[in-house]
Amino acid sequence: MSQTIVVKIGTSSLTQPETGKLSLSTIATLVETLSQLRQKGNRVILVSSGAVGVGCGCLGLTERPKAIALKQAVAAVGQGKLMRVYDDLFTTLQQPIAQVLLTRSDLVQRSRYLNVYNTFKELLGLGVIPIVNENDTVAIDELKFGDNDTLSGLVASLVEADWLFLLTDVDRLYSADPRFVPDARPISLVSDIKELTRSQVKTGAQGSQWGTGGMVTKISAARIATAAGVRTVITEGKYPRNIEKILQGESIGTHFEPRPETTSARKRWIAYGLVPSGKLYLDAGAVRAISTGGKSLLAAGIAEVEGEFDTQEAVLLSDRDGNEIARGLVNYNSVELQKIQGFRSGDIREILGYEGAETVIHRDNLVLI
């Protein structure tokens, strides 16, 4: 049966740890694996890191640059070289590819979000393997994905993939970093990411010296993908053929089970595509009404307004302790909300001097996280 498969490979798997130069044997095996999956009728998307790492290797830099402008310049050098390597290898196997460079702003506007979706749909229909990366050369800090794990989760959600493979420098998720804790416990299956968080798995925030990811970002990507019904697997990037073995049923890596009830594409866009502009702290009654009652958010339930935002922008909703519970699109700007917070809907006209919406966030524009 034909499936849609998104594969993300990190810089640590693409490059040699000592030098940051490309590991050509790994890339060749990856290309061969993905081409074979395509030949079997599957739709395949590759999310590839490595542009900055490869650029560092080309320019003789001994560590990843921290300054934004330098990093963007290095990415511009590396992206061309990386794509040339991919093109040479895929062309040898007569597999067409396309370069897709995205910034967060491509997903923030609903029209552009749908346009990205349509582009992927057409490329996959043509039998092309899109190779996706963040457009580091132009992305600004406020509108960055930050890492390609998050980007791959969003792409898998966008195209409603069947599988997301996160190829990294360890063979699976562990209860602690196995490089430093010899008795770290391997985790083969995660049925509920919330339970995983509660068990306080020590994931480590940092990736390799050449990359930006870490296990935290991979779990975040899994959260995004599984919400869209995408089965997600963390496995070792040195062995790309594991992808085929996993598809055939072998128990390799850590599997994250997809959520049985997936949210709509529009609500996933609100939850993960948008960049929140502010935060609303809710009282216990509002948290309960939203979390268990499926209700809209009313002004009476808002305890505090944080940040500056306009009408129809995305905001975070949290309890009084700052724990995020939902995201949504507001019907009022931050100045208006500071005036009406804590008041009943019937008082809004008198406070603002005009008729406003009854709800601050309608339940159709509200997504539980």
Side-chain angles (χ1 to χ4, degrees), residues 44-49 51 79 82-83 86 96-104 106-107 112-113 115-124 128-138 145 148 151-152 155 158-159:
V44 179
I45 297 173
L46 173 61
V47 179
S48 177
S49 301
Q79 185 64 32
L82 184 62
M83 281 305 298
Y86 277 129
I97 61 171
Q99 177 176 249
V100 179
L101 296 176
L102 296 175
T103 62
R104 194 67 189 249
D106 294 320
L107 303 185
R112 289 169 72 176
Y113 180 88
N115 189 51
V116 172
Y117 168 80
N118 289 329
T119 299
F120 278 122
K121 185 179 175 184
E122 292 299 326
L123 287 170
L124 295 174
V128 173
I129 294 180
I131 299 181
V132 186
N133 195 359
E134 177 160 17
N135 196 347
D136 280 315
T137 305
V138 299
F145 297 105
N148 275 345
L151 175 57
S152 69
V155 168
L158 176 68
V159 301

Side-chain angles (χ1 to χ4, degrees), residues 217-238:
T217 60
K218 287 163 184 61
I219 293 172
S220 176
R223 182 180 289 113
I224 295 169
T226 54
V230 183
R231 190 172 187 88
T232 303
V233 183
I234 293 174
T235 188
E236 198 161 9
K238 281 194 297 186

Side-chain angles (χ1 to χ4, degrees), residues 215-291:
M215 209 51 79
V216 167
T217 60
K218 287 163 184 61
I219 293 172
S220 176
R223 182 180 289 113
I224 295 169
T226 54
V230 183
R231 190 172 187 88
T232 303
V233 183
I234 293 174
T235 188
E236 198 161 9
K238 281 194 297 186
Y239 308 107
R241 294 204 186 281
N242 282 349
I243 296 170
E244 289 178 309
K245 293 177 181 177
I246 292 166
L247 290 171
Q248 289 162 7
E250 288 194 36
S251 181
I252 298 171
T254 298
H255 291 237
F256 294 79
E257 287 188 340
R259 287 211 332 227
E261 293 181 10
T262 60
T263 51
S264 68
R266 186 174 182 279
K267 286 203 170 186
R268 292 199 305 274
W269 168 69
I270 292 171
Y272 303 114
L274 297 178
V275 180
S277 303
K279 189 172 185 177
L280 306 182
Y281 293 84
L282 312 184
D283 64 27
V287 170
R288 197 161 48 248
I290 288 170
S291 300

Side-chain angles (χ1 to χ4, degrees), residues 7-63:
V7 177
K8 183 266 174 178
I9 188 162
T11 302
S12 62
S13 302
L14 284 171
T15 56
Q16 300 164 14
E18 306 82 16
T19 63
K21 292 182 178 178
L22 287 173
S23 176
L24 291 175
S25 60
T26 301
I27 298 174
T29 306
L30 175 69
V31 166
E32 192 171 20
T33 300
L34 300 187
S35 298
Q36 287 170 352
L37 289 172
R38 229 336 276 133
Q39 286 160 16
K40 291 174 182 174
N42 297 295
R43 295 169 294 278
V44 179
I45 297 173
L46 173 61
V47 179
S48 177
S49 301
V52 175
V54 172
C56 287
C58 292
L59 298 170
L61 301 179
T62 55
E63 60 180 28

Side-chain angles (χ1 to χ4, degrees), residues 152-164:
S152 69
L154 289 166
V155 168
S157 172
L158 176 68
V159 301
E160 297 181 332
D162 298 287
W163 292 84
L164 169 61

Side-chain angles (χ1 to χ4, degrees), residues 79-98:
Q79 185 64 32
K81 186 174 179 62
L82 184 62
M83 281 305 298
R84 179 176 176 182
V85 171
Y86 277 129
D87 191 45
D88 286 347
L89 292 169
F90 275 112
T91 299
T92 302
L93 298 174
Q94 297 181 310
Q95 171 58 54
I97 61 171

